[in-house]
Amino acid sequence: MRFIALLVFWVLLNIQNVGAEKSAPKSTRVPQPILKHETWKGTQCVASEEDIRKNHMDFLLHQRDDTVHEGIRTKKYSLKNCINCHVTTKGKDGAPIPITSREHFCNTCHAYVGVTLDCFQCHATHPDSGQVKTKIIDKITPIIEKHENQAFHSKVKNGGKDE
Amino acid sequence: MSRLNVDEDRRSFVKTSLVSGLAVVSGVSLVQISNAKDPGESVSASKRWGMLIDTTKCASGCDACVTACNVEHGLEAIENREETDAQWIRKVHLKNKLTDAEHDLPMMCQHCENPPCVDVCPTGASFKRDDGIVLVDKHTCIGCRYCMMACPYKARSFIHEALTNQKPDVPRGKGTVESCTLCVHRVDKDGEKAIPACAEACDKEGHKAIVFGDLKDKNSVLSQLLSEQSSTQIRADLGLNTGIRYRGI
């Protein structure tokens, strides 16, 4: 009896969904990264997938100091070179894919893991096509006080006297 | 050929000295040819980049240099709001009140040897590279604009709004300060053969008022021009030893 109970217990313990990795439904709460390997240039990245996935921020942060301060422009860990290889496709209307889209190479993973990307506040998000112009995206309306300056200038012209 | 009395030692000495002499000569000439910087190499203080601007050749009403700079770096202009536009280079019109002599000249960051902007920067973002180019490290810049106040030439601009579609060679972003970089992306690629966008446009217009080169290289076109005739710094009284020199004012 005890043996049968133990046997049943052991069987229950070892029931596994053997096809788990392949057939488990993907989480629908967080959109999975869209990685289109076929659109990237070349056959492999500058480092192995694990290495680059874990350390790309350190490579880039180190490289940027070298580039800005020393003028060292090697291509291996250059951000511009990452973009040149990985951001090769355009959006539906022929315009470059914006960084806010989940289809942009960098944003697709960064949105998934929830890590802020601030590189592209300054850096170009796509290789230069020469067609698209730099654009302001949150235009403000500064209040420029013109009449104050004019009053001062007229005072100076009159030799310090108010007119 | 054993009948010939050949001095083997002498023969090998002559051979060795010829070959090594040839190697030395070719090595020296190779070093002189390749002057563009290798990408993996740091810039060094053996060069100092500068420009000579001949105001007698600068045409009144022409702004080819300004347009070229704006296009090269993706500087956007907003209609009816010029006060806040980024301005890396501008045309200045001077008139001497006593003599009525008039001059036009382009004014940009003067790439001083003792830059006031570098002195005042609280974060060290404004810095002078070893080869003399004064730059802003946007990663470190906090946008305090102290450098804008300190600059005697009003060379620096502040970016007020978020941007997209920057040029890949020219990262620019909201909340940082920027100024003329002497086309550092071209300089790092082409070395002495580099030509900044303003100089290139001026040449194309036919005025050829802007000459770029290495101030420390006595053989460069720039150094030769500077040694032939006198040139002045703007606001030389400040003792900044600018890299941009003017002739004719």
Side-chain angles (χ1 to χ4, degrees):
Chain A
M1 251 342 265
R2 201 177 290 174
F3 173 71
I4 294 170
L6 273 174
L7 186 66
V8 168
F9 178 67
W10 184 83
V11 165
L12 286 171
L13 202 64
N14 282 303
I15 288 174
Q16 287 172 21
N17 190 353
V18 177
E21 271 84 59
K22 295 199 174 71
S23 66
K26 293 211 163 141
S27 158
T28 51
R29 285 177 62 196
V30 183
Q32 296 284 316
I34 302 165
L35 295 169
K36 295 190 184 146
H37 293 74
E38 69 279 2
T39 61
W40 303 340
K41 289 190 186 161
T43 48
Q44 83 178 53
C45 190
V46 298
S48 72
E49 197 174 317
E50 293 89 40
D51 189 15
I52 200 99
R53 195 177 274 168
K54 191 166 176 211
N55 298 321
H56 65 278
M57 60 294 276
D58 296 323
F59 296 148
L60 288 168
L61 290 177
H62 185 256
Q63 172 78 12
R64 76 180 190 188
D65 292 333
D66 285 347
T67 302
V68 175
H69 288 264
E70 308 289 335
I72 292 171
R73 293 181 187 254
T74 49
K75 289 198 186 309
K76 190 173 181 194
Y77 297 130
S78 136
L79 181 65
K80 193 168 95 172
N81 211 35
C82 304
I83 302 287
N84 282 342
C85 264
H86 285 288
V87 183
T88 54
T89 54
K90 300 269 170 95
K92 289 196 197 83
D93 51 354
I97 299 175
I99 188 62
T100 44
S101 154
R102 272 193 304 108
E103 285 173 26
H104 189 277
F105 169 73
C106 306
N107 199 38
T108 196
C109 290
H110 272 260
Y112 177 72
V113 297
V115 175
T116 313
L117 253 189
D118 56 8
C119 316
F120 299 104
Q121 289 178 8
C122 284
H123 283 275
T125 58
H126 53 88
D128 188 19
S129 58
Q131 302 299 321
V132 196
K133 286 190 168 175
T134 309
K135 198 168 60 143
I136 289 178
I137 57 179
D138 64 346
K139 190 167 158 198
I140 57 175
T141 322
I143 300 165
I144 297 167
E145 299 282 354
K146 282 202 159 128
H147 56 269
E148 252 173 58
N149 288 340
Q150 284 169 1
F152 175 71
H153 282 140
S154 63
K155 195 174 172 181
V156 168
K157 263 195 233 170
N158 292 331
K161 303 184 196 93
D162 286 318
E163 58 177 14
Chain B
M1 295 291 162
S2 55
R3 285 189 294 119
L4 292 170
N5 205 7
V6 172
D7 186 342
E8 287 296 339
D9 290 329
R10 187 162 163 235
R11 180 181 278 186
S12 66
F13 173 76
V14 171
K15 264 195 226 170
T16 318
S17 53
L18 268 176
V19 168
S20 54
L22 207 66
V24 167
V25 164
S26 60
V28 165
S29 58
L30 276 174
V31 162
Q32 283 173 347
I33 288 166
S34 65
N35 266 320
K37 187 182 74 71
D38 170 41
E41 203 187 312
S42 307
V43 294
S44 79
S46 60
K47 291 193 194 307
R48 185 182 173 202
W49 302 111
M51 295 207 291
L52 173 63
I53 297 175
D54 192 338
T55 62
T56 58
K57 293 183 185 163
C58 181
S60 167
C62 171
D63 63 351
C65 51
V66 178
T67 310
C69 178
N70 291 353
V71 166
E72 174 79 8
H73 299 104
L75 306 186
E76 68 299 327
I78 302 180
E79 240 178 80
N80 297 328
R81 217 190 79 181
E82 293 84 16
E83 289 89 347
T84 51
D85 284 345
Q87 185 184 73
W88 289 25
I89 182 173
R90 64 188 186 274
K91 287 294 292 287
V92 173
H93 183 76
L94 302 170
K95 184 170 169 184
N96 187 318
K97 288 196 170 152
L98 188 66
T99 63
D100 278 350
E102 295 186 31
H103 305 278
D104 281 273
L105 52 88
M107 169 58 67
M108 71 291 276
C109 170
Q110 304 285 287
H111 297 282
C112 313
E113 191 174 15
N114 309 308
C117 59
V118 174
D119 274 340
V120 301
C121 179
T123 58
S126 177
F127 70 101
K128 184 177 70 133
R129 230 166 62 149
D130 285 339
D131 59 355
I133 301 183
V134 178
L135 296 168
V136 178
D137 183 350
K138 315 281 179 80
H139 309 114
T140 320
C141 177
I142 56 173
C144 72
R145 306 172 73 176
Y146 199 169
C147 59
M148 288 174 71
M149 295 181 241
C151 180
Y153 307 104
K154 284 207 296 202
R156 293 238 160 125
S157 307
F158 182 71
I159 305 178
H160 299 266
E161 290 133 325
L163 306 170
T164 58
N165 292 324
Q166 295 95 332
K167 299 271 175 200
D169 285 324
V170 188
R172 308 174 56 223
K174 177 180 178 177
T176 59
V177 170
E178 54 178 6
S179 66
C180 160
T181 58
L182 270 188
C183 280
V184 68
H185 54 287
R186 292 189 180 191
V187 170
D188 282 350
K189 200 163 60 135
D190 302 324
E192 266 130 22
K193 297 203 177 47
I195 180 163
C198 50
E200 189 181 51
C202 194
D203 286 353
K204 218 186 265 183
E205 287 290 311
H207 306 304
K208 300 194 197 302
I210 307 179
V211 177
F212 171 83
D214 182 1
L215 290 166
K216 287 195 176 176
D217 178 8
K218 294 290 168 212
N219 299 323
S220 68
V221 173
L222 177 68
S223 296
Q224 282 168 0
L225 283 173
L226 285 169
S227 65
E228 281 161 19
Q229 284 186 42
S230 67
S231 54
T232 53
Q233 305 173 51
I234 293 183
R235 294 301 308 274
D237 57 308
L238 295 173
L240 303 174
N241 191 6
T242 61
I244 315 286
R245 302 297 172 106
Y246 291 83
R247 176 174 293 168
I249 53 169

